[in-house]
Amino acid sequence: EVQLVESGGGLVQPGGSLMLSCAASGFDFKNSHMSWVRQPPGKGLEWVSSIYSDGVTLTYTDFAKYRFKISRDDDKNMLYLNLRNLKPEDSATYYCAIDLVPWYGGTWHPKVTGQGTQVTVSS
């Protein structure tokens, strides 16, 4: 059974940092591209970042490019997202997803995600 379990979210002040984790099981993690998406309250899904199976090729959306860092540990089947210099608009539920995330029909379409972890940025 494919499982993705996100953790590490919480309440943080603007300018703060968080490390999100995603524990993966039930599929060939080391040969899978992985991604993070998020959903702000009342809004649609947003793609955040992807890391290819080579562990070297990283892609970010503009708002994440200089503040977030994606990484993976294939020995532990873990995916990470380091969030820095957080802003209130980063408040969202963050999900890890298997593979890259296609855009079509006006929205992002992750194939499989976990239950998500909530990040709230507020003073």
Side-chain angles (χ1 to χ4, degrees), residues 12-23:
V12 62
Q13 291 188 339
S17 300
L18 283 173
M19 175 71 88
L20 306 184
S21 301
C22 172

Side-chain angles (χ1 to χ4, degrees), residues 38 48 60 63-64 66-69 82-84 86 90:
R38 73 182 188 183
V48 177
Y60 297 93
F63 64 73
Y66 303 110
R67 299 185 297 122
F68 299 173
K69 182 177 180 181
N82 187 11
L83 311 177
R84 298 170 295 177
L86 283 162
D90 294 318

Side-chain angles (χ1 to χ4, degrees), residues 3-73:
Q3 273 200 320
L4 298 170
V5 180
E6 301 93 338
S7 61
L11 174 63
V12 62
Q13 291 188 339
S17 300
L18 283 173
M19 175 71 88
L20 306 184
S21 301
C22 172
S25 61
F27 64 101
D28 186 6
F29 180 81
K30 69 178 181 181
N31 289 311
S32 297
H33 307 323
M34 296 294 296
S35 300
W36 286 96
V37 297
R38 73 182 188 183
Q39 185 163 25
K43 298 185 179 181
L45 276 176
E46 301 175 343
W47 169 68
V48 177
S49 180
S50 295
I51 182 167
Y52 284 55
S53 59
D54 62 10
V56 176
T57 306
L58 315 177
T59 55
Y60 297 93
T61 192
D62 285 348
F63 64 73
K65 198 173 295 185
Y66 303 110
R67 299 185 297 122
F68 299 173
K69 182 177 180 181
I70 192 170
S71 61
R72 63 191 296 159
D73 185 335

